[in-house]
Amino acid sequence: MNRIFSGVQPTGNLHLGNYLGAIRNWVALQHDYDCIFCIVDLHAVTVPQDPVQLRAQTREVTAAYIAAGIDPERCVIFNQSTVPGHAELAWLLGCQTPLGWLNRMTQFKEKAGKQREEAGLGLYSYPVLMAADILLYKATHVPVGEDQKQHLELSRDIAGAFNRRFGVEFFPLPEPMIFGTATRVMSLRDGTKKMSKSDQSDYSRINMTDDADAIALKIRKAKTDPNPLPETAKDAEARPEADNLLGIYAALSDLTRDQVIEQWAGKSFSTFKSDLADLSSSVLGKIGGEMRRLLAEPGYIDDILRRGAERANAVAKPHLQEVFDIMGLLRP
Ligand code: TYM
């Protein structure tokens, strides 16, 4: 069976972009693939984290997966640092990765910004760890949002380079799965910026745990232009804020973008926004409620993570052993 690997960093607030771009798609895919869903805490520590918060957020992301509908019996759910193979394989793959490939990564440039000299080595080599995450399980498919596309191309390059270097067909080249109408959810305050966990403005994103009032307020305040809703897809494309809200509406209601455009063509934003707020609250309200219920039982969450780690390790260890063999690292 084809295997899926994907993950979310336990940093900041999980938001509608994480849900629509990734987690919601995983829920739909879980019956057709062998699925491994990770809470990537080793990625989180590429920038400073408060230890107490990191632990809490690791449980929160786990709760979000389950509350959104990932079945922990069917899928493996675990946090990355409990499987040592991620860091080990990252080292081995890092030794096959030219610096030139990493220098092209736009996310490093964005995150390091002007403080490039102060940025940690981990932040720079982050995409190698991401390749290791996927290849450790020989995953064939990786469902993610649009922003991860470049990292996935690098994962494919690294897998190909390893296979060629050692003359093997060991790692499959993982296929990105970027689909739906909300592969890149934008900030509610600025249609040119991605909705992000780290945005300072609370009004820029809808968090997965927001209640109906917070959701309604944020959508009401979402930036739009003074015209009525677009009449055609072409018109929508030229209006990023409107296009973003239409994409969110379509994803939440399982309609195509064209169907939503047709339904709302020429109507006023105020009625559209109040409909979108109701739609968002009805989907996220259930998930947020379930998350809160799960988070009140940290023992249950930890049990899931512990069992997930065992299952993940059982897949990872033999693969890593084979990598050692292929590379000539003696296991006496
Ligand atoms: P992270 O934690 O930033 O985001 C988790 C998932 O949410 C998607 N996403 C979005 N989708 C649509 N619109 C947005 N505004 C938006 N923001 C985030 C991301 O594309 C991602 O799918 N490097 C990854 C985590 C990772 C990973 C992996 C993913 C580590 N190892 C291996 C897949 C496979 C990250 O930082 O995601």
Side-chain angles (χ1 to χ4, degrees):
M1 197 191 221
N2 284 325
R3 175 172 289 149
I4 276 178
F5 181 96
S6 199
V8 173
Q9 292 195 58
T11 49
N13 288 300
L14 279 176
H15 54 71
L16 194 61
N18 300 128
Y19 176 62
L20 295 179
I23 302 171
R24 188 178 169 99
N25 289 346
W26 305 351
V27 175
L29 293 164
Q30 65 182 326
H31 299 286
D32 299 322
Y33 292 81
D34 172 14
C35 290
I36 303 180
F37 296 122
C38 189
I39 299 94
V40 291
D41 48 7
L42 296 177
H43 279 90
V45 295
T46 54
V47 293
Q49 299 294 337
D50 173 77
V52 174
Q53 288 265 4
L54 181 59
R55 255 188 298 275
Q57 283 164 351
T58 301
R59 292 196 178 107
E60 188 168 317
V61 177
T62 312
Y65 288 2
I66 300 167
I70 306 280
D71 176 356
E73 298 303 322
R74 176 180 285 274
C75 308
V76 174
I77 300 176
F78 75 107
N79 56 313
Q80 193 182 19
S81 60
T82 57
V83 177
H86 290 258
E88 291 176 84
L89 185 60
W91 175 261
L92 300 174
L93 295 177
C95 296
Q96 324 293 323
T97 308
L99 288 185
W101 292 4
L102 291 177
N103 288 339
R104 287 205 294 270
M105 296 295 114
T106 49
Q107 190 166 306
F108 174 76
K109 289 179 197 156
E110 280 162 21
K111 284 201 173 175
K114 292 197 179 74
Q115 311 297 317
R116 209 184 147 94
E117 293 296 310
E118 274 75 51
L121 176 59
L123 193 61
Y124 185 67
S125 61
Y126 179 112
V128 180
L129 179 59
M130 184 160 159
D133 297 339
I134 300 163
L135 300 177
L136 185 59
Y137 302 95
K138 295 195 180 187
T140 52
H141 293 80
V142 187
V144 284
E146 174 85 38
D147 61 336
Q148 297 300 315
K149 200 169 170 195
Q150 194 185 36
H151 287 158
L152 285 183
E153 278 159 13
L154 184 79
S155 299
R156 288 169 64 87
D157 289 345
I158 292 177
F162 180 94
N163 290 346
R164 274 193 306 283
R165 163 76 180 78
F166 296 102
V168 289
E169 293 273 323
F170 185 69
F171 289 127
L173 304 192
E175 286 291 335
M177 296 175 107
I178 300 172
F179 64 93
T181 58
T183 56
R184 189 175 179 80
V185 177
M186 307 310 277
S187 156
L188 298 180
R189 306 298 307 156
D190 178 350
T192 64
K193 261 176 47 186
K194 189 179 74 166
M195 185 178 283
S196 120
K197 296 190 197 104
S198 55
D199 199 313
Q200 296 299 317
S201 159
D202 269 352
Y203 290 113
S204 71
R205 76 178 158 257
I206 294 174
N207 298 319
M208 282 181 74
T209 46
D210 279 347
D211 62 21
D213 289 344
I215 293 173
L217 180 65
K218 288 175 184 181
I219 292 184
R220 210 165 42 241
K221 279 181 167 287
K223 187 176 164 204
T224 44
D225 52 57
N227 302 315
L229 276 131
E231 309 252 352
T232 63
K234 198 157 177 283
D235 180 14
E237 264 169 46
R239 296 164 59 189
E241 282 87 9
D243 197 40
N244 187 40
L245 296 181
L246 288 164
I248 294 173
Y249 192 105
L252 285 170
S253 53
D254 283 323
L255 294 170
T256 65
R257 187 178 292 259
D258 284 347
Q259 284 170 324
V260 176
I261 291 174
E262 196 183 321
Q263 184 184 338
W264 288 94
K267 302 205 169 115
S268 86
F269 269 105
S270 60
T271 39
F272 172 76
K273 280 182 167 181
S274 101
D275 223 48
L276 179 58
D278 290 347
L279 188 57
S280 308
S281 318
S282 84
V283 174
L284 291 185
K286 280 193 212 95
I287 297 177
E290 183 61 8
M291 277 174 75
R292 277 186 284 280
R293 196 185 67 72
L294 289 165
L295 285 166
E297 286 181 73
Y300 170 75
I301 291 182
D302 289 1
D303 268 349
I304 295 211
L305 291 174
R306 220 175 290 120
R307 259 189 314 124
E310 277 168 26
R311 290 163 72 191
N313 261 306
V315 182
K317 274 190 180 154
H319 290 166
L320 192 62
Q321 195 63 44
E322 277 187 79
V323 173
F324 286 140
D325 286 344
I326 291 169
M327 293 182 70
L329 297 161
L330 183 68
R331 321 269 88 208

